[in-house]
Amino acid sequence: MAFGDHEKDPGWQYLKQSREQMLADQSKPYDSKKNVWIPDAEDGYVAAEVTATKGDQVTLVSARGNEVTLKKELVQEMNPPKFEKTEDMSNLSFLNDASVLHNLRSRYAAMLIYTYSGLFCVVINPYKRLPIYTDSVARMFMGKRRTEMPPHLFAVSDQAYRNMLQDHENQSMLITGESGAGKTENTKKVIAYFAAVGASQQEAEGGPAAVDTGEKKVTLEDQIVQTNPVLEAFGNAKTVRNNNSSRFGKFIRIHFNKAGRVASCDIEHYLLEKSRVIRQAPGERCYHIFYQIYSDFKPQLKKDLQLDLPISEYWFVAQAELTIDGINDTEEFQLTDEAFTILKFSEEEKMDCYRLMSAMMHMGNMKFKQRPREEQAEPDGVDEAEKAAAMYGIAQEDFMKALTKPRVKVGTEWVSKGQNLEQVHWAVGAMAKGLYSRVFNWLVKKCNVTLDQKGYSRDYFIGVLDIAGFEIFDFNSFEQLWINFVNEKLQQFFNHHMFVLEQEEYAREGIQWTFIDFGLDLQACIELIEKPLGIISMLDEECIVPKATDLTLAQKLVEQHLGKHPNFEKPSRQRANRLRLTLPCATMPALSATTASTGSRRTRIPSTTPSSR
Ligand SMILES: Nc1ncnc2c1ncn2[C@@H]1O[C@H](COP(=O)(O)OP(=O)(O)OP(=O)(O)O)[C@@H](O)[C@H]1O
Ligand SMILES: *[C@@H]1O[C@H](CO)[C@@H](O)[C@H](O)[C@H]1NC(C)=O
Ligand SMILES: *[C@@H]1O[C@H](CO)[C@@H](O)[C@H](O)[C@H]1NC(C)=O
Ligand SMILES: *[C@@H]1O[C@H](CO)[C@@H](O)[C@H](O)[C@H]1NC(C)=O
Ligand SMILES: *[C@@H]1O[C@H](CO)[C@@H](O)[C@H](O)[C@H]1NC(C)=O
Ligand SMILES: *[C@@H]1O[C@H](CO)[C@@H](O)[C@H](O)[C@H]1NC(C)=O
Ligand SMILES: *[C@@H]1O[C@H](CO)[C@@H](O)[C@H](O)[C@H]1NC(C)=O
Ligand SMILES: [Mg+2]
């Protein structure tokens, strides 16, 4: 194949290894009987050479130079050198863990981050910007078959686009991997690619269809791409796993007309992590937007928002980190603000949004005290309450009354209900979380409206799913359970879809095949959580039982499941009161695939009881 012009592109070396390198790799000596992989504590697997075999014991010299004797079943075959850095791992003669990992590792060492594994594409996070997402690289992939080009997300995307037009079917891409694997980065590239393809289709038809926003022409494609800075400012935060972690899931659908032109786009969002608005674990930050507002991009803004204390004094956002290495909040705020404009948010809407953020910061500093010998809380100074109320556009007295003596309806009458200090604190936190999640919902809704360009018919769509990735922290909150549960369900869906359906087809076509039960080991755990009498339904039930506590729930769960369900375990002594579940997790570390992952390791998922410390 002649790649002539492609080779001149600065990105090419990160997509295809050079001929010289390929020849060097393939000239390595190899003997299928001698060259093997053996387990290694440090690297997972290490190359070794068989020197003797006796019964089921094999003696080998490892690449580290030491002699080892192992059981035969622990030794894995090595592929011939012609498969070194192969672009599609389904071609390997020996498809075992060691070979798959070796292939990914050696490609990654050469900065070839994309590798196919049959129908899906595996990506390894390079943690550095590679010139492989440029317009010129995108153009190389447009209209090409997957087999004609090296592995790339663009090839997968282009295939989806072509399948959509040829088969008249909607398409979806599932991007999965643990937190920090690169799902969101890759999602952005996919979206940008479709925007570029849709736009080039437009040029071909003649006449750019642009939206006039007054100053300069903004295309729908630009607007689609610009939803990222807005959603990320409000929905992303620093965690210990990822400086830019998505704390919500999203499904973006780009709609096309019959001719393949971008018609509109919509976004569905799931499970925003609300607890972060009022609590941050060590090493983490609240949502980016709070620190962006506090940056100097709009010097007057802090005054307008009455934020006159240093940011470290605002409890709701200052429990852990305040800055992130490598991220300049001033520059990020500029991007957010510009994106707002491109998405047609008015100055007033922007300002309202910032005022609500400021109100939450003030709310976190409001102080209350308990009246002596009474179960009734009252404000302890109203400075911050004044400011929060001003931001909300309500009277401070009404605001305080609603928190300390809320009016509730009893039968047909309205009565004032007394609140103790703890109840008021809960109410303040709940209000901030509720408000934040409504602001987020409003943002997505506004984007939906802007991206729904009337006029073009929505014949097909390509959807891209990007969720919050699997994560295991030292202390896992209630929300981690849902994040991880969703990840497991998707993995299960994927296994079922890819492997089970494939095998059913073999059966239909009469191909001889031993049915393999891929990933069904996840099913038991998923059922433990979601089936009737499972954890979710028991939690729901416990919520309406008067005087129920974490402990009563834990007791009921133990009675129901301990000893009866293989995935249900009682906590160790040190972690008394905290339930744990063991669950096989199929997410590979630091890997993100457009449609898959392999391997399986035992991990633990978080405590099901909200903190009972
Ligand atoms: N293809 C890439 N090129 C360069 N950098 C990347 C790439 N993919 C990921 N990164 C880097 O890794 C970081 C984490 O990636 P990303 O935010 O996409 O992870 P994620 O899988 O969405 O995680 P989470 O589940 O926490 O949202 C990015 O901020 C970026 O610095
Ligand atoms: C891998 O397999 C595909 C399809 O079977 C084939 O087209 C391709 O040439 C193979 N690649 C290599 C490097 O063997
Ligand atoms: C594809 O999605 C559109 C909505 O965008 C829907 O109207 C249509 O029925 C779907 N087509 C198929 C084949 O499912
Ligand atoms: C986080 O995401 C924002 C929005 O896309 C981006 O501008 C920023 O560079 C990202 N930060 C890092 C560290 O990648
Ligand atoms: C965050 O970014 C800094 C600077 O780029 C880097 O050193 C650090 O490893 C990143 N942290 C995570 C969890 O990705
Ligand atoms: C952040 O960016 C702004 C504007 O580009 C610049 O003035 C400022 O010095 C930067 N701050 C840091 C800490 O790099
Ligand atoms: C955005 O539009 C999609 C499709 O119409 C819809 O499913 C989703 O709920 C909308 N989101 C919001 C926040 O309105
Ligand atoms: Mg993400």
Side-chain angles (χ1 to χ4, degrees), residues 253 266-269 440-442 444-445 448 458:
R253 264 183 306 211
D266 60 54
I267 302 168
E268 223 170 307
H269 67 99
F440 194 76
N441 200 50
W442 172 77
V444 176
K445 215 177 203 162
N448 267 354
R458 292 175 160 202

Side-chain angles (χ1 to χ4, degrees), residues 26 82-83 85-92 147:
Q26 296 184 351
K82 74 165 174 171
F83 289 113
K85 303 201 187 80
T86 187
E87 293 183 343
D88 185 346
M89 295 189 293
S90 66
N91 282 7
L92 295 176
T147 45

Side-chain angles (χ1 to χ4, degrees), residues 129 185 188 228-229 232 243-244 288 327 332 335:
R129 302 281 154 200
E185 288 290 329
K188 285 196 262 187
N228 284 318
E232 287 183 14
N243 285 333
N244 221 0
H288 294 328
I327 295 189
E332 297 299 327
L335 295 175

Side-chain angles (χ1 to χ4, degrees), residues 168-170 253 255 458-461:
H168 309 292
E169 265 179 20
N170 298 324
R253 264 183 306 211
H255 298 270
R458 292 175 160 202
D459 295 310
Y460 318 110
F461 69 77

Side-chain angles (χ1 to χ4, degrees), residues 203-222:
E203 275 165 34
E205 288 176 28
V211 190
D212 198 343
T213 56
E215 285 166 27
K216 54 179 186 226
K217 299 270 185 188
V218 175
T219 62
L220 175 59
E221 287 80 9
D222 291 335

Side-chain angles (χ1 to χ4, degrees), residues 33-321:
K33 297 213 174 50
K34 278 193 176 157
N35 295 97
V36 294
W37 296 107
I38 57 170
D40 181 70
E42 217 166 285
D43 288 343
Y45 297 94
V46 67
E49 248 186 65
V50 177
T51 51
T53 307
K54 199 171 166 200
D56 67 347
Q57 296 286 315
V58 187
T59 305
L60 320 96
V61 178
S62 89
R64 296 190 189 283
N66 52 325
E67 197 182 71
V68 268
T69 301
L70 285 173
K71 274 218 168 99
K72 212 173 199 165
E73 68 210 36
L74 292 175
V75 175
Q76 300 189 13
E77 296 103 328
M78 185 183 281
N79 285 285
K82 74 165 174 171
F83 289 113
E84 232 1 73
K85 303 201 187 80
T86 187
E87 293 183 343
D88 185 346
M89 295 189 293
S90 66
N91 282 7
L92 295 176
S93 309
F94 302 112
L95 194 57
N96 48 36
D97 285 2
S99 302
V100 166
L101 292 173
H102 168 72
N103 194 58
L104 290 172
R105 179 163 49 200
S106 52
R107 283 179 66 80
Y108 185 62
M111 269 292 127
L112 303 165
I113 62 168
Y114 291 101
T115 305
Y116 293 129
S117 177
L119 293 174
F120 50 90
C121 178
V122 180
V123 191
I124 302 188
N125 189 342
Y127 280 110
K128 63 171 107 160
R129 302 281 154 200
L130 304 177
I132 54 176
Y133 305 108
T134 57
D135 280 348
S136 64
V137 173
R139 256 178 275 122
M140 283 181 207
F141 281 86
M142 282 185 201
K144 295 270 178 28
R145 289 189 182 284
R146 202 179 91 156
T147 45
E148 285 177 74
M149 296 294 284
H152 197 301
L153 202 60
F154 289 169
V156 178
S157 310
D158 207 77
Q159 193 179 16
Y161 182 72
R162 245 164 327 116
N163 288 352
M164 173 188 80
L165 290 177
Q166 280 165 12
D167 306 342
H168 309 292
E169 265 179 20
N170 298 324
Q171 309 279 322
S172 287
M173 289 172 74
L174 169 61
I175 303 193
T176 121
E178 75 172 4
S179 181
K183 295 180 295 300
T184 304
E185 288 290 329
N186 281 284
T187 303
K188 285 196 262 187
K189 307 303 182 212
V190 171
I191 300 291
Y193 184 78
F194 288 130
V197 170
S200 77
Q201 196 68 17
Q202 219 140 273
E203 275 165 34
E205 288 176 28
V211 190
D212 198 343
T213 56
E215 285 166 27
K216 54 179 186 226
K217 299 270 185 188
V218 175
T219 62
L220 175 59
E221 287 80 9
D222 291 335
Q223 291 179 323
I224 294 175
V225 172
Q226 289 300 322
T227 56
N228 284 318
V230 169
L231 294 186
E232 287 183 14
F234 288 84
N236 285 25
K238 174 185 162 49
T239 68
V240 288
R241 301 262 175 277
N242 182 354
N243 285 333
N244 221 0
S245 184
S246 319
R247 311 312 298 164
F248 67 108
K250 62 180 190 281
F251 184 55
I252 304 185
R253 264 183 306 211
I254 304 184
H255 298 270
F256 296 85
N257 70 3
K258 283 205 177 64
R261 182 195 263 195
V262 178
S264 65
C265 174
D266 60 54
I267 302 168
E268 223 170 307
H269 67 99
Y270 316 96
L271 282 179
L272 178 74
E273 185 185 55
K274 284 187 279 188
S275 62
R276 184 169 301 273
V277 178
I278 59 169
R279 291 277 177 277
Q280 300 93 44
E284 310 216 332
R285 241 183 35 161
C286 194
Y287 289 104
H288 294 328
I289 187 65
F290 293 103
Y291 312 91
Q292 293 185 3
I293 287 175
Y294 231 89
S295 73
D296 293 325
F297 173 60
K298 290 186 170 186
Q300 180 64 29
L301 188 62
K302 267 184 281 185
K303 272 200 205 86
D304 294 344
L305 299 178
Q306 304 188 21
L307 292 167
D308 28 41
L309 302 175
I311 192 162
S312 55
E313 304 281 308
Y314 290 98
W315 171 245
F316 272 0
V317 301
Q319 289 158 50
E321 302 295 305

